[in-house]
Amino acid sequence: MRAHPKRHRMTIEHRPTLRLILGDQLNPLHSWFDAPQTDVVYVLMEVRSETDYVRHHAQKVFGIFAAMRHLAAQLKAQGHRVRYVAIDDPSNRQSITANLDALIAHYGAAAVQYQAPDEWRLDQALREWTAHCGVTVKAVDSEHFFTERDEAAQWFASKKQWLMENFYRQQRKKHHILMTPNGQPEGGQWNFDANNRKPWPGTPAVPTDTRPTHDHSTLWQCIQNAGVQTMGAPQAHAFRWPVNRSEALQQLDHFIGYALPHFGDYQDAMSKRSWHLFHSLLSFALNTKMIHPREVVQRTEQAWRAGHAPLHAAEGFIRQILGWREYVRGVYWARMPGYTEVNHLAHQRPLPEWFWTGHTRMACMAQAIGQSLEHAYAHHIQRLMVIGNFALLAGLDPQALHQWYLGIYIDAFEWVEAPNTLGMSQWADGGQLATKPYVSSAAYLQRMSDHCASCAYQPKLRVGPEACPFNALYWNFFKQHQHALQDNHRLGMVYHQLNKMPAHDLVQLQSQASSHLENLNTL
């Protein structure tokens, strides 16, 4: 029997569109959600393919799941149709694309839409799936960043080097941020980094942590029952990271009001007395898109213009978001695929066991790794100049370190983590991102922290059982890689000192370094 033409048209018209929302796309203000549509079903899913590609911190896993559940509940309350696939749902295929196939069949969907992923592996997986899924598929923008994926690559196409500072200045001009009416940078200069390098003496007092506390014990039990392997302290009964936009905005208010005025002075400082000092603790909310970088930048600039924060504090924070964050995203998309496999210095040494326990006699490393395991967070200097510094000096495998960083930090997604770890921290890309390796001896750590005073090692000693490992490893690193690094104009002073060092002293340092490297697990 022939189908009635009108009835056939009605059937097609009522086949819904599925809209996929990933775990780092939790922006309730996206234009998708302007008004409920009966022919649209929003799909969120907790899947093992996302929990298992590296070993993640427990708080990262259930933090993202909790935030996804909050967004799903909010969309339902607004009248949207939502399908939430929980980690323990019997129908869960534990893969994004496999679940999409099942949901297309279940709903008789005519089309699928998704916001462009920020990680290459997901972008590639969805592109490959699109080719054979059998329905119309459309990717839309996440409406989050200041720049397009390829904007940095296009801007740098005619430049000899990808210098972040140049990109940052261009973004300041384009978006008219911290600019005078005649197009000049406020304060007469673009960068106030020289003002942002003070150690914290204990005053002013660190603002009280006012983030709300959540009990996610039930969710954590579901994750464990599903067999997900994690690292770090769950803190499931007292989770402090924001799980919705309202809480993220509260944290932004708190940062602007109480921490920003001192952020500039102490953004590079480290202290055993505070694990976060004057840092914003906004990175998780930003990287899951609960809040937009534009509103964070605007609030920061407004605070300076109102006289609430000094210019060097506002500029330093804005540079991290408008400059560095957008820049590394551009680097990531320009270099992928393949960037996560770079290893220019051919480092292969496994990570020491204490990367998973924090049990090391080096006080700075114990603090940085210990708080990472406890809070799923360390600030940028701890990641770069403590953990990353040691890893590079010790010749640790950059891919193993990349996977550790990607897993342990609650704000770590590959687009932002990989360039920071492999490029900035480990110089594994041979200088495509950083103009020189960011390493130091104990002198820097002693100057910027209070760790050395209570450490088992002495920062001024180069050799001997009490010598700080950073010292011998520092000189051994530059000697080992002299052929690759000696012509770097930013390392001229280092190699001047190395070349005039008495041969006996150098031999002692190399012997000391060898001892450290042979006994990494007991340092």
Side-chain angles (χ1 to χ4, degrees):
M1 180 182 294
R2 266 181 91 181
H4 192 284
K6 185 175 182 180
R7 181 178 298 170
H8 182 63
R9 285 197 301 272
M10 291 290 288
T11 302
I12 293 175
E13 288 168 2
H14 283 82
R15 291 174 62 191
T17 293
L18 305 182
R19 286 180 172 174
L20 174 66
I21 303 173
L22 298 175
D24 64 344
Q25 297 175 341
L26 308 181
N27 172 19
L29 302 184
H30 193 281
S31 60
W32 265 359
F33 312 129
D34 287 346
Q37 302 174 55
T38 58
D39 60 348
V40 171
V41 179
Y42 291 99
V43 177
L44 298 91
M45 57 182 81
E46 304 166 354
V47 291
R48 291 292 299 272
S49 61
E50 290 305 292
T51 62
D52 294 3
Y53 65 91
V54 296
R55 188 179 180 188
H56 293 282
H57 198 293
Q59 292 179 44
K60 184 178 183 182
V61 176
F62 68 70
I64 291 174
F65 284 6
M68 290 169 64
R69 293 181 179 204
H70 268 263
L71 179 61
Q74 180 179 348
L75 294 178
K76 286 181 180 179
Q78 293 170 348
H80 296 283
R81 294 177 66 186
V82 177
R83 176 61 182 268
Y84 197 94
V85 182
I87 192 71
D88 56 354
D89 190 323
S91 67
N92 192 343
R93 271 74 171 173
Q94 301 300 340
S95 158
I96 291 174
T97 53
N99 279 338
L100 284 175
D101 286 333
L103 292 172
I104 288 170
H106 175 77
Y107 287 101
V112 171
Q113 297 177 2
Y114 64 88
Q115 297 176 34
D118 292 313
E119 296 197 346
W120 188 88
R121 64 181 180 83
L122 282 176
D123 188 74
Q124 188 71 8
L126 286 170
R127 286 177 182 272
E128 292 174 356
W129 173 80
T130 296
H132 58 76
C133 68
V135 298
T136 301
V137 181
K138 179 183 179 181
V140 304
D141 192 81
S142 67
E143 303 175 4
H144 178 75
F145 294 94
F146 280 97
T147 57
E148 301 296 327
R149 270 185 188 176
D150 60 350
E151 188 171 329
Q154 291 180 8
W155 192 78
F156 281 116
S158 60
K159 310 293 191 300
K160 289 184 178 180
Q161 202 168 16
W162 283 51
L163 294 177
M164 192 283 290
E165 183 66 24
N166 294 341
F167 176 77
Y168 167 58
R169 294 181 185 187
Q170 184 262 352
Q171 290 299 308
R172 287 264 299 272
K173 294 175 185 177
K174 177 180 178 179
H175 298 285
H176 201 73
I177 294 169
L178 291 180
M179 301 295 292
T180 65
N182 64 351
Q184 297 300 310
E186 294 285 5
Q189 61 191 74
W190 294 99
N191 188 314
F192 291 87
D193 198 38
N195 301 85
N196 298 337
R197 298 171 181 167
K198 298 176 183 177
W200 180 60
T203 57
V206 173
T208 303
D209 188 353
T210 59
R211 295 173 300 164
T213 300
H214 299 278
D215 187 342
H216 292 307
S217 301
T218 302
L219 174 57
W220 173 234
Q221 190 61 54
C222 289
I223 292 168
Q224 288 183 297
N225 292 344
V228 177
Q229 299 298 306
T230 62
M231 65 168 127
Q235 308 282 17
H237 64 288
F239 184 75
R240 302 299 303 273
W241 296 96
V243 294
N244 55 49
R245 175 171 168 78
S246 176
E247 292 180 357
L249 289 174
Q250 290 174 20
Q251 181 60 25
L252 175 59
D253 288 344
H254 185 264
F255 170 68
I256 296 294
Y258 299 99
L260 178 62
H262 307 294
F263 169 80
D265 287 340
Y266 307 114
Q267 66 170 290
D268 287 3
M270 297 171 283
S271 176
K272 62 185 179 182
R273 291 170 285 179
S274 172
W275 63 272
H276 57 81
L277 287 173
F278 301 94
H279 291 270
S280 71
L281 304 183
L282 288 169
S283 52
F284 175 61
L286 270 169
N287 292 353
T288 51
K289 303 179 181 58
M290 294 183 219
I291 54 175
H292 196 285
R294 189 179 303 278
E295 61 191 322
V296 177
V297 167
Q298 288 175 344
R299 287 287 307 279
T300 303
E301 181 174 13
Q302 289 166 3
W304 168 69
R305 293 194 181 280
H308 180 69
L311 180 57
H312 71 276
E315 187 278 320
F317 188 64
I318 287 172
R319 182 164 13 102
Q320 289 190 0
I321 297 174
L322 177 64
W324 190 253
R325 187 171 185 264
E326 299 285 331
Y327 169 75
V328 296
R329 178 174 179 255
V331 169
Y332 176 78
W333 282 106
R335 303 286 188 245
M336 288 295 285
Y339 191 80
T340 53
E341 303 304 318
V342 293
N343 190 356
H344 182 76
L345 297 176
H347 287 172
Q348 301 290 341
R349 194 166 279 110
L351 304 190
E353 295 172 0
W354 37 262
F355 266 68
W356 284 269
T357 66
H359 298 157
T360 168
R361 293 184 295 153
M362 293 179 286
C364 59
M365 290 292 285
Q367 173 69 34
I369 292 179
Q371 74 172 61
S372 300
L373 292 165
E374 183 178 359
H375 300 290
Y377 175 85
H379 66 69
H380 67 282
I381 292 298
Q382 291 174 307
R383 298 188 201 193
L384 176 66
M385 295 306 299
V386 180
I387 302 171
N389 183 10
F390 181 87
L392 183 53
L393 294 179
L396 303 187
D397 182 344
Q399 275 66 51
L401 188 71
H402 153 59
Q403 292 176 6
W404 185 84
Y405 271 89
L406 184 57
I408 198 169
Y409 293 119
I410 196 166
D411 55 15
F413 296 91
E414 193 176 80
W415 66 269
V416 65
E417 176 276 326
N420 272 298
T421 302
L422 298 169
M424 185 69 173
S425 173
Q426 297 306 290
W427 215 70
D429 62 3
Q432 293 178 13
L433 188 149
T435 55
K436 71 177 181 68
Y438 276 83
V439 292
S440 76
S441 64
Y444 173 84
L445 301 171
Q446 184 179 32
R447 183 169 68 252
M448 295 306 301
S449 78
D450 55 16
H451 298 314
C452 295
S454 58
C455 187
Y457 298 103
Q458 298 299 312
K460 296 188 181 302
L461 296 181
R462 292 183 174 187
V463 296
E466 295 184 352
C468 176
F470 279 89
N471 291 329
L473 292 176
Y474 176 84
W475 291 109
N476 184 70
F477 170 82
F478 282 111
K479 182 61 179 177
Q480 179 184 358
H481 296 296
Q482 186 163 1
H483 179 74
L485 300 175
Q486 65 184 348
D487 294 330
N488 187 310
H489 70 280
R490 295 195 65 190
L491 298 175
M493 182 61 70
V494 173
Y495 280 101
H496 175 72
Q497 291 178 279
L498 184 63
N499 291 333
K500 72 175 185 179
M501 186 178 294
H504 174 72
D505 291 353
L506 181 58
V507 168
Q508 279 193 313
L509 285 170
Q510 289 178 299
S511 177
Q512 180 82 20
S514 294
S515 177
H516 292 321
L517 296 174
E518 290 169 3
N519 298 281
L520 284 180
N521 285 322
T522 59
L523 287 181

